[in-house]
């Protein structure tokens, strides 16, 4: 299906500004290139609500919805642009290329740990700190949009089919490091948050640990062209020699220009050889990406080693129109990249290619250059619950494993004491920056951003933030 033009949308909204067009057969830079969109039908644009409440004069104000409301993450691009200038640092920042201390070559007996947790809910087990990498899962989840240019290209695409191909590529890019990165991120403390303002690529992210048992992390990312959000919770099956991670919940993407909503699931991951041999991972399950306004979808089957042996990293998918007819064929590997082509084999276009690892990646926890920056000290981050301020994680990054272990135990005990106090007072935990919403497109309920975080940051008001560190 073709998409309505920006000019048509402005007429629907009573706007008169015109937008230039240019021939676009391939991807455009979403921040600088005009769009040429083919008209097939007229649609009404959703109401433009800002996700911020502290706004410059003349910018629409976001009105918070009640918990039972339906979630509509459409924002005013002009409002985002104004706020992003206020949030982003005045000068571009240079980022580190290696961690302060290389990863310890651990000689600990993993079996002595595993045998004590067999048959238990591993999400409730406090594991030794040397099994962690110096990132919290509130940060690790941000790596889902490391290849954020795919979202920019999706927002600029001229058809839903091309957009679905970009999102299929993004869904595979999240797993590029799973062959070489086996340390566990820190379990976030309840109420732990993480913010990222990416000045270079024009987007910002906020994530929060909204539940501890079961562990649930919510994330919201936004640029002036798109909104990306997800609620991540998982089911873990642990059998001694292997562990299977089953993500529960959907990933969402919406463009601000037309309001089309896309959602998809994640594959299941199995980590092998926990006791004997070298650790390695494979994935399985069909990843299905739906456009809820048109009925078009992309389907990418992931196959594990048991099914296809050495070809377990290969991906072969397709983009279908609303009638189920194939529009594009997708091919690639989740550790290498992905291309799309027409059904007849013509028009091969590269969607994404995995970046080279950092030098001496094994001693850098297998981090990519993007991951390397996530826990770097940032003086502009003032929220007291931000993962960068977590002391056990910082100590591990600096190589002081014993002190990190002591701090990890202290923080976990502090969290348990806070839970017991809430229970004694018969109080329920309520997340600060995410609320429960109903999604009419997916018929699901999940935690989504409530619009208050950046407001508090600009006001310098963190009075509602809990004392977790």
């Amino acid at each position: 299906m073709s998409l309505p033009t920006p000019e048509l949308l402005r007429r629907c909204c009573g706007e008169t500004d015109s937008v230039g067009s240019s021939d676009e057969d391939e991807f455009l830079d979403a921040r600088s290139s005009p769009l040429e969109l083919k008209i097939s039908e007229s649609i009404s644009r959703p109401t433009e609500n800002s996700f911020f409440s502290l706004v410059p004069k003349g910018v629409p104000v976001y009105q918070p919805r009640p918990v039972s409301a339906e979630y509509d993450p459409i924002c005013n691009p002009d409002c985002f642009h104004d706020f992003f200038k206020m949030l982003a640092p005045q000068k571009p920042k240079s980022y580190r290329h290696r961690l302060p201390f290389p990863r310890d070559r651990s000689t600990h007996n993993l079996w002595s740990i595993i045998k004590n947790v067999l048959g238990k809910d591993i999400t409730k087990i406090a594991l030794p700190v040397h099994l962690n990498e110096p990132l919290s899962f509130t940060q690790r989840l941000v790596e889902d949009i490391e290849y954020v240019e795919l979202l920019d290209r999706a927002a600029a695409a001229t058809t839903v089919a091309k957009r679905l191909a970009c999102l299929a590529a993004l869904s595979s890019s999240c797993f590029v490091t799973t062959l070489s990165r086996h340390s566990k991120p820190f379990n976030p403390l309840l109420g732990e948050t993480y913010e990222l303002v990416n000045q270079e690529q024009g987007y910002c992210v906020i994530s929060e640990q909204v539940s501890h048992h079961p562990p649930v992390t919510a994330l919201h990312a936004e640029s002036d062209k798109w909104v990306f959000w997800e609620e991540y919770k998982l089911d873990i099956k642990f059998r001694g020699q292997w562990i299977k991670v089953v993500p529960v919940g959907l990933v969402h993407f919406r463009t601000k220009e037309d309001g089309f909503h896309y959602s998809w699931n994640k594959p299941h991951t199995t980590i092998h050889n926990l006791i004997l041999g070298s650790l390695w991972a494979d994935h399985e399950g069909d990843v299905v990406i739906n456009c809820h306004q048109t009925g078009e979808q992309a389907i990418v089957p992931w196959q594990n080693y048991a099914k296809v042996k050495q070809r377990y990293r290969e991906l072969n998918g397709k983009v279908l129109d609303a009638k189920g007819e194939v529009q594009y064929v997708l091919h690639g590997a989740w550790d290498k990249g992905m291309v799309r082509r027409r059904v007849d084999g013509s028009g091969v276009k590269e969607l994404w290619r995995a970046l080279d690892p950092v030098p001496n990646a094994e001693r850098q926890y297998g981090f990519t250059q993007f991951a390397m920056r996530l826990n770097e000290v940032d003086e502009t981050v003032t929220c007291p619950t931000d993962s960068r301020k977590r002391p056990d994680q910082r100590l591990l990054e600096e190589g002081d494993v014993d002190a990190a272990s002591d701090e990890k135990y202290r923080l976990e005990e502090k969290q348990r004491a806070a839970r017991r106090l809430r229970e004694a007072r018969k109080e329920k935990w309520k997340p600060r920056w995410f609320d429960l919403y109903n999604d009419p497109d997916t018929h699901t309920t999940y935690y989504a951003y409530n619009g208050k975080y950046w407001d508090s940051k600009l006001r310098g008001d963190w009075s509602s933030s809990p004392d977790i560190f």
Side-chain angles (χ1 to χ4, degrees), residues 400-411:
D400 195 339
V401 178
D402 291 338
S405 182
D406 291 342
E407 273 297 292
K408 183 172 180 288
Y409 177 77
R410 181 187 68 82
L411 292 174

Side-chain angles (χ1 to χ4, degrees), residues 29-257:
D29 186 322
R31 291 181 298 276
S32 60
S33 299
L35 301 177
E36 179 186 52
L37 302 178
K38 303 172 185 176
I39 303 176
S40 65
E41 60 181 287
S42 174
I43 68 168
S44 297
R45 183 171 182 169
T47 303
E48 292 183 333
N49 290 318
S50 164
F51 274 97
F52 308 96
S53 56
L54 176 66
V55 295
K57 185 177 180 180
V59 177
V61 176
Y62 169 76
Q63 299 297 329
R65 301 175 177 86
V67 172
S68 61
E70 294 180 349
Y71 184 57
D72 181 11
I74 293 296
C75 310
N76 186 334
D78 296 331
C79 178
F80 177 86
H81 178 72
D82 290 336
F83 265 88
F84 191 76
K85 289 190 296 184
M86 299 169 68
L87 292 170
Q90 297 301 310
K91 296 181 180 179
K93 182 179 179 181
S94 59
Y95 299 100
R96 63 187 182 183
H97 296 282
R98 61 179 182 272
L99 297 173
F101 194 86
R103 180 185 182 184
D104 178 35
R105 299 185 188 275
S106 176
T107 58
H108 296 277
N109 186 345
L110 187 58
W111 170 243
S112 65
I113 301 168
I114 290 175
K115 68 181 181 181
N116 292 322
V117 299
L118 282 173
K120 299 179 181 178
D121 183 353
I122 197 171
T123 64
K124 297 183 179 180
I125 303 298
L127 297 175
V129 74
H130 63 261
L131 298 180
N132 290 98
E133 62 183 19
L135 284 179
S136 173
F137 194 75
T138 54
Q139 297 165 304
R140 183 73 179 263
L141 197 58
V142 178
E143 294 183 58
D144 279 8
I145 57 171
E146 176 171 356
Y147 293 86
V148 71
E149 62 272 13
L150 287 166
L151 295 181
D152 294 334
R153 292 169 180 173
T158 57
T159 65
V160 170
K162 289 182 179 180
R163 192 174 284 170
L164 286 166
C166 290
L167 297 178
L170 181 82
S171 70
S172 65
S173 70
C174 309
F175 298 88
V176 68
T177 62
T178 51
L179 283 176
S180 58
R181 188 171 168 187
H182 303 126
S183 295
K184 172 184 172 298
F186 280 81
N187 290 335
L189 300 168
L190 185 60
E192 186 174 333
T193 61
Y194 182 73
E195 71 165 75
L196 178 67
V197 178
N198 191 316
Q199 180 184 16
E200 297 79 14
Q201 294 178 292
Y203 69 91
C204 58
V205 184
I206 172 63
S207 62
E208 181 181 8
Q209 189 72 1
V210 296
S211 172
H212 187 58
H213 291 311
V216 180
T217 310
L219 177 143
H220 175 94
E222 185 175 345
S223 81
D224 60 348
K225 303 293 184 184
W226 48 259
V227 184
F228 173 98
W229 71 101
E230 63 178 300
E231 178 193 85
Y232 187 94
K233 48 189 173 184
L234 69 162
D235 180 27
I236 295 182
K237 299 178 180 179
F238 184 39
R239 295 296 182 268
Q241 180 67 343
W242 56 266
I243 185 171
K244 176 172 284 188
V245 179
V246 181
V248 179
L250 297 174
V251 184
H252 302 263
F253 173 75
R254 190 169 230 161
T255 54
K256 294 185 178 181
E257 194 65 59

